[in-house]
Amino acid sequence: GINAEYMGMSHKLANKNTLALYRRLLQTMMKSFEGDFTMFHRCRIEARKEILKNKEETDELKIQQLIFRGEEIRDFLETNIMQGNLQENGHYKLKVRSAHSMGASVKPPVDFDKL
């Protein structure tokens, strides 16, 4: 009946929202781990594993909570993960993106060896 039809539509919407979240996570991971295939691959596998672990969930509130948690993780990756490359002098050069500033102005790095 109508209730079963509604549940089917609700489940399709949940799947669509979950797929959209997964795509956003992948895009963020590609930016966050640019040039580091190993970290990108490990992170992608973990994200996929978590999403698949909950694929049978039908409770709309629980699905919304899971998607919200996924968005929090995506936001954390975007604003807190910063790549660093080891330089010949033993220091790391960080790849700072605008997302890292979180609204604050990003100041140039301080070279503590010159202080």
Side-chain angles (χ1 to χ4, degrees):
I2 294 174
N3 195 25
E5 188 176 305
Y6 171 76
M7 290 299 287
M9 287 185 350
S10 175
H11 191 64
K12 285 179 185 174
L13 182 60
N15 287 341
K16 184 178 178 182
N17 290 340
T18 302
L19 184 58
L21 167 66
Y22 184 64
R23 285 187 189 128
R24 286 190 302 276
L25 276 166
L26 286 175
Q27 290 170 347
T28 300
M29 287 182 242
M30 281 189 265
K31 282 189 244 173
S32 296
F33 303 116
E34 184 179 356
D36 188 346
F37 179 76
T38 302
M39 281 305 297
F40 168 76
H41 185 64
R42 286 180 181 171
C43 195
R44 182 187 64 80
I45 288 171
E46 286 302 313
R48 183 175 170 82
K49 190 176 2 174
E50 284 300 308
I51 287 172
L52 289 175
K53 182 171 77 174
N54 295 293
K55 75 177 186 174
E56 300 299 323
E57 184 61 61
T58 57
D59 181 332
E60 278 191 59
L61 181 58
K62 178 72 173 167
I63 292 168
Q64 288 175 357
Q65 290 171 338
L66 289 166
I67 289 173
F68 181 77
R69 178 71 179 134
E71 286 294 344
E72 287 181 321
I73 291 167
R74 190 196 65 73
D75 184 59
F76 180 86
L77 284 171
E78 188 170 53
T79 59
N80 293 290
I81 301 299
M82 192 178 300
Q83 284 185 314
N85 294 322
L86 183 60
Q87 305 298 300
E88 287 182 17
N89 64 6
H91 297 129
Y92 282 89
K93 181 177 182 181
L94 299 177
K95 294 181 185 178
V96 180
R97 297 186 322 273
S98 60
H100 293 125
S101 68
M102 295 186 273
S105 62
V106 178
K107 295 184 167 69
V110 174
D111 188 349
F112 291 102
D113 291 337
K114 292 184 178 179
L115 294 178

